Amino acid sequence: MQQQQINKSIIRDFYRRAVAQGDIAFAEQVIADNYIQHSPGLKPGKAGVLEALHLMKQMPKPPATSTPFMRLIAEGDYVVTNLCFNWGGIQKVVVDIFRFEHGKVAEHWDAVEDQPATTLNGNAMMDGPIPVDDLALTTSNKAIARDAYQQIYIDRQRHRLPDFVLPDFIQHKPDIADGRAGLSDYLSQNSSSLSINRILLIVAEGDFVVIQSEGIANGKPAQFYEIFRLSESKLAEQWSVNRLTQ
């Protein structure tokens, strides 16, 4: 648990010092030499990250900046961030997954989407609770979320929704309406355009569970980054950011 908090602090400082303040020396210190990059927008390896940070440092800063909305979830060697920020007048919503090795960042995946002007649920893609609660329930919540995701999101067993999802399920994915009924409608209407094939990674801390999976979206390979908040041993809230992999 202590190492997870240290890892969280490193990632928090990476955003604050390396990204926001252009502290390249700090980035060189915390990124492993054998760093593996999965983000399609960056060049490979540690050199690619440092190059991107150098370019960002040279860009003009906005006259006023707001504190990014950031959710941090950690388990084992992984830290997940869920954040939003304004870029060129567009609100960007991001999920980053970092893997640590020997106290340094060794691997990274991400997904980025633009916040749309309107959503079916009326909620922003990024708001809601930030602090992690119910740490004693991490293991059970992880198992519940894994079963729910497999049976509902992958296998499309909509009749199991009452077993896993609260009636007043809060939804932040723009094209899904709030409530258990909204999720049921989405699963029935999008069976041909979206399919999830398998779970790649699960990271859980307290009442939050992050699931990275892969499948097909609109006929193209995609990865799906879902964050669930659990309450009363059921899914209570969902955030989602996806990206095409080809």
Side-chain angles (χ1 to χ4, degrees):
M1 184 64 69
Q2 183 180 3
Q3 188 59 52
Q4 290 177 197
Q5 296 308 313
I6 293 172
N7 292 346
K8 275 188 175 183
S9 295
I10 291 172
I11 294 303
R12 189 183 290 112
D13 286 344
F14 177 79
Y15 282 111
R16 179 176 60 86
R17 295 176 58 176
V19 177
Q21 300 174 7
D23 188 343
I24 308 300
F26 178 78
E28 291 179 331
Q29 175 187 345
V30 301
I31 297 174
D33 291 337
N34 60 345
Y35 176 82
I36 302 170
Q37 179 64 265
H38 297 277
S39 176
L42 295 176
K43 292 182 180 179
K46 182 175 182 177
V49 178
L50 298 179
E51 178 182 308
L53 291 172
H54 276 291
L55 292 174
M56 291 177 64
K57 187 176 181 178
Q58 297 169 16
M59 295 176 65
K61 295 292 188 294
T65 59
S66 58
T67 302
F69 184 110
M70 182 185 294
R71 185 176 287 114
L72 280 161
I73 302 160
E75 182 188 17
D77 296 328
Y78 292 91
V79 175
V80 179
T81 65
N82 183 204
L83 60 93
C84 65
F85 60 91
N86 189 287
W87 185 267
I90 300 173
Q91 194 76 0
K92 301 287 186 177
V93 183
V94 186
V95 172
D96 286 293
I97 300 177
F98 300 91
R99 182 180 64 82
F100 278 77
E101 188 175 280
H102 307 305
K104 293 190 176 184
V105 182
E107 196 164 5
H108 169 253
W109 301 258
D110 70 352
V112 183
E113 287 191 31
D114 296 343
Q115 168 70 51
T118 60
T119 68
L120 279 180
N121 47 59
N123 304 321
M125 289 180 70
M126 273 297 296
D127 60 13
I130 297 177
V132 174
D133 292 323
D134 301 326
L135 288 175
L137 299 179
T138 295
T139 300
S140 60
N141 282 341
K142 186 176 184 178
I144 291 166
R146 179 190 287 110
D147 289 346
Y149 199 76
Q150 179 65 49
Q151 297 190 45
I152 293 172
Y153 291 79
I154 296 178
D155 298 338
R156 303 281 180 139
Q157 298 183 38
R158 289 191 295 132
H159 66 282
R160 297 299 309 277
L161 279 164
D163 298 331
F164 291 108
V165 181
L166 290 177
D168 56 350
F169 188 55
I170 302 171
Q171 185 59 252
H172 297 272
K173 187 173 175 64
D175 49 351
I176 306 180
D178 261 343
R180 184 196 292 159
L183 179 57
S184 178
D185 290 343
Y186 174 81
L187 293 172
S188 64
Q189 294 171 6
N190 291 272
S191 58
S192 60
S193 61
L194 184 145
S195 63
I196 301 171
N197 299 331
R198 67 185 183 112
I199 294 171
L200 299 174
L201 177 68
I202 302 181
V203 178
E205 184 181 17
D207 54 343
F208 286 102
V209 180
V210 182
I211 298 180
Q212 179 197 38
S213 61
E214 66 179 7
I216 302 296
N218 297 317
K220 297 181 179 179
Q223 285 188 350
F224 310 100
Y225 296 73
E226 320 282 3
I227 298 177
F228 296 100
R229 181 179 62 82
L230 281 79
S231 177
E232 303 173 21
S233 298
K234 291 188 177 182
L235 304 186
E237 195 162 4
Q238 176 183 358
W239 298 263
S240 179
V241 184
N242 307 331
R243 74 171 174 87
L244 298 178
T245 55
Q246 288 185 7

